[in-house]
């Protein structure tokens, strides 16, 4: 597709999104959901991140890619101290319009963002500035107040941070809605993902099954009845959220999966001040008439069978359900020490619905949920995200050392060193690039 076609596509999507946002009552929720843009900073769509090695005048693989480009809100990696550069390579030229990061509150330092149609070192004249020396807190868990518009294949992130803290994710938005992507099994599994995605990949947290691109949806929350607003808990945007009020015997939120999914990990980003307990019930069908249709059997195999064969509730189900006879499959405790980010791994459970209940430490207090992620056994070797508008090629950025020309005549085909880790004495939030589950320790504390 040439640039004119790409620009036309972007303009069409933008006008469609505006139209859908203003559609009268009676329009379908699916069309209204096109107001939620897809985060392009994900390895699942072929994006990758590389660090610039000034000594070798080339871009090299970095551990940050596994944390910043997976779908998990609790895996993170700190930028290098001082002035550093990170290359974001998109799978193909895209119209990009906004940018954000997700880091610990109070992170100090500045960030600049540049765009280029061709791969080049940071000091090349071809980099067009999109953001210049903006304070991290101005884009921490929030998008730019003033959007930009640029068709580009490469983005360069310049960081200037004296004392880095973990970044949990980067966000790059364009005009493509999240609902225009879908999770697709590869016709032929990749024997080795390294040539396409590099060695730093979080396979276990690559694809969020409770996401708009996975055709999941929030069908109920006890704070709002607006079907479009409900999706803010799964829209891959740290700035938006859904409030859940406390409940004891009823659901506070219900997420419906597109099909029965095997879930083995749940991650949550919530208000950092929240203290209490989030219970998660993974069920094959929703309780009806105040009584649960299914409960988790002590025999996991039998429960999986029931979950896979129980008819799903109607697509427009939107009321609370009774929890009296259900036992939580997972419980997350928020105590104010994790910055609102927490996770739990557990034996895989097959479910068509996730029911959430909030029990606050202080009676009556609600909780604001920015993102709920759920993961199964989906790897980049077997799955990819495909755009319904223009299929994303099966692949990624490839070997950065073989693209473009670099100054000083350095050997572009030499084995590249890995970017230096965090400052000695600083415990990084280690992403699970070397296996699943991620090696998560106390570093999420603020």
């Amino acid at each position: 597709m040439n640039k004119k076609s790409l620009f036309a596509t972007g303009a069409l999507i933008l006008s469609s999104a505006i139209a859908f946002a203003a559609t009268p009552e009676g329009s379908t929720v699916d069309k209204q959901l096109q107001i939620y843009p897809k985060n392009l900073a994900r390895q699942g769509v072929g994006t990758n991140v590389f660090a610039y090695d000034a000594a070798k005048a080339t871009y090299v693989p970095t551990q940050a890619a596994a944390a910043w480009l997976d779908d998990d809100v609790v895996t993170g990696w700190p930028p290098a101290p001082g002035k550093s550069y990170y290359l974001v390579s998109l799978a193909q030229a895209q119209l990009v319009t906004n940018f954000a990061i997700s880091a610990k509150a109070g992170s100090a330092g500045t960030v600049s963002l540049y765009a280029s149609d061709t791969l080049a070192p940071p000091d090349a004249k071809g980099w067009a500035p999109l953001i210049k020396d903006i304070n991290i807190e101005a884009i921490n868990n929030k998008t730019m107040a003033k959007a930009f518009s640029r068709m580009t294949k490469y983005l360069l992130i310049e960081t200037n941070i004296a004392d880095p803290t973990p970044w949990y994710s980067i966000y790059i938005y364009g005009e493509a809605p999240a609902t225009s992507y879908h999770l697709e099994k590869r016709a032929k599994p990749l024997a080795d993902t390294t040539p396409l995605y590099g060695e730093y990949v979080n396979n276990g947290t690559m694809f969020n099954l409770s996401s708009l691109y996975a055709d999941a949806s929030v069908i109920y929350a006890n704070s709002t009845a607006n079907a479009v607003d409900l999706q803010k808990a799964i829209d891959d945007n740290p700035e938006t959220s859904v409030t859940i009020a406390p409940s004891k015997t009823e659901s506070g939120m219900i997420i419906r999966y597109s099909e029965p999914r095997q879930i083995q990990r749940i991650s949550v980003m919530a208000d950092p001040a929240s203290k209490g307990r989030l219970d998660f019930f993974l069920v094959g069908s929703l309780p009806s008439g105040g009584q649960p249709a299914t409960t988790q059997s002590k025999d996991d195999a039998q429960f999986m069978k029931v979950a896979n064969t129980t008819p799903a509730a109607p697509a427009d189900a939107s009321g609370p359900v009774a929890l009296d006879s259900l036992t939580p499959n997972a419980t997350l405790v928020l105590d104010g020490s994790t910055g609102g980010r927490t996770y739990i791994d557990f034996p895989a459970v097959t479910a068509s619905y996730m029911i959430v209940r909030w029990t606050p430490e202080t009676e009556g207090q609600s909780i604001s949920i920015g993102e709920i992620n759920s993961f199964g056994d989906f790897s980049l070797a077997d799955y990819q995200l495909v755009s319904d508008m223009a299929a994303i090629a099966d692949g990624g950025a490839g070997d950065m050392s073989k693209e473009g020309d670099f100054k000083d005549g350095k050997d572009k085909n030499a084995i590249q060193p890995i970017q230096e880790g965090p400052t000695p004495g600083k415990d990084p939030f280690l992403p699970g690039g070397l296996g699943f589950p991620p090696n998560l320790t106390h570093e999420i504390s603020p």
Side-chain angles (χ1 to χ4, degrees):
M1 182 179 292
N2 59 35
K3 287 188 179 181
K4 289 184 179 179
S5 298
L6 283 168
F7 274 118
T9 301
L12 175 61
I13 297 167
L14 176 59
S15 61
S16 299
I18 293 173
F20 289 138
T23 45
E25 188 174 351
S27 2
T28 65
V29 172
D30 286 344
K31 288 183 178 180
Q32 294 175 23
L33 290 182
Q34 295 194 31
I35 64 172
Y36 292 110
K38 177 70 180 78
N39 178 15
L40 302 174
R42 292 290 179 257
Q43 284 177 321
V45 295
T47 300
N48 218 331
V49 166
F50 300 84
Y52 184 68
D53 186 328
K56 291 185 174 292
T58 191
Y59 295 100
V60 300
T62 171
Q63 296 95 323
W68 297 357
L69 301 180
D70 74 349
D71 260 349
D72 197 323
V73 292
V74 302
T75 55
W77 191 262
K83 181 175 284 191
S84 302
Y85 296 94
Y86 294 90
L87 176 78
V88 179
S89 175
L90 302 176
Q92 60 187 31
Q94 297 266 12
L95 183 66
V96 295
T97 59
N98 219 316
F99 178 75
I101 66 166
S102 186
K104 286 187 177 183
S107 297
T110 62
V111 173
S112 297
L113 184 68
Y114 306 86
S116 176
D117 297 327
T118 58
L119 182 63
D123 59 358
K125 294 181 179 180
W127 290 106
L130 302 177
I131 303 171
K132 189 65 176 172
D133 295 327
I134 190 170
N135 289 330
I136 288 179
E137 281 304 294
I139 54 170
N140 189 9
N141 292 322
K142 51 187 172 234
T143 53
M144 298 286 299
K146 184 178 180 181
F148 48 80
S149 181
R150 170 75 190 212
M151 181 69 68
T152 189
K153 173 74 165 63
Y154 300 105
L155 291 164
L156 185 69
I157 303 173
E158 177 188 328
T159 61
N160 196 345
I161 308 171
D163 187 16
T165 58
W167 286 14
Y168 303 101
S169 189
I170 58 175
Y171 302 87
I172 298 167
Y173 299 108
E175 301 302 347
T179 51
S180 70
Y181 284 78
H182 66 272
L183 188 59
E184 183 176 281
K185 191 166 187 177
R186 298 182 190 273
K188 182 179 179 181
L190 299 177
D192 181 13
T193 61
T194 304
L196 296 177
Y197 300 99
E199 57 190 298
Y200 297 108
V201 171
N202 264 344
N203 272 314
T205 55
M206 184 54 54
F207 299 108
N208 175 20
L209 300 179
S210 51
S211 65
L212 293 174
Y213 68 71
D215 294 326
S217 59
V218 181
I219 60 173
Y220 170 77
N222 57 16
S223 61
T224 179
N226 187 296
V228 177
D229 285 345
L230 287 176
Q231 312 317 312
K232 292 177 180 178
I234 61 171
D235 64 349
D236 200 13
N237 184 342
E239 190 172 13
T240 61
S241 62
V242 174
T243 298
I244 303 178
S247 58
K248 293 182 179 179
T249 60
E250 287 187 343
S251 55
M253 174 182 283
I254 303 173
I255 295 174
R256 181 182 60 233
Y257 295 106
S258 61
E259 60 185 77
R261 301 286 198 185
Q262 285 200 4
I263 306 301
Q264 60 188 34
R265 176 184 176 87
I266 296 173
S267 301
V268 169
M269 182 177 70
D271 181 351
S274 298
K275 294 184 179 181
R277 187 179 72 248
L278 282 168
D279 294 318
F280 297 89
F281 307 82
L282 297 166
V283 298
S285 65
L286 293 177
S288 58
Q291 298 296 324
T294 62
T295 59
Q296 183 181 9
S297 166
K298 292 181 180 179
D299 184 350
D300 286 340
Q302 177 63 24
F303 175 70
M304 288 184 182
K305 181 179 178 181
V306 171
N308 275 303
T309 57
T310 303
D316 58 354
S318 58
V321 297
L323 303 176
D324 302 37
S325 301
L326 292 177
T327 300
N329 299 92
T331 296
L332 292 174
V333 176
L334 296 169
D335 60 7
S337 68
T338 63
R341 301 173 192 268
T342 187
Y343 76 100
I344 187 170
D345 295 310
F346 48 88
V349 176
T350 301
S352 296
Y353 299 88
M354 176 197 293
I355 305 173
V356 186
R357 177 177 64 193
W358 166 243
T359 305
E361 185 177 290
T362 302
E363 188 173 353
Q365 289 188 344
S366 297
I367 185 172
S368 177
I369 302 287
E371 289 294 319
I372 293 182
N373 308 147
S374 54
F375 303 97
D377 187 18
F378 284 68
S379 74
L380 274 174
D382 299 312
Y383 289 86
Q384 63 183 332
L385 288 184
V386 175
S387 170
D388 297 327
M389 297 179 299
I392 294 177
D394 189 14
D399 184 351
M400 289 290 97
S401 66
K402 296 176 182 177
E403 283 199 57
D405 294 320
F406 295 96
K407 62 180 182 179
D408 299 333
K410 300 292 184 181
D411 181 6
K412 298 190 290 294
N413 296 316
I415 296 176
Q416 302 298 336
I418 301 305
Q419 181 219 6
E420 243 178 71
T423 307
K426 294 289 183 182
D427 236 348
F429 193 130
L430 183 64
L434 301 180
F436 185 80
N439 179 9
L440 303 174
T441 51
H442 64 278
E443 298 81 3
I444 56 175
S445 58

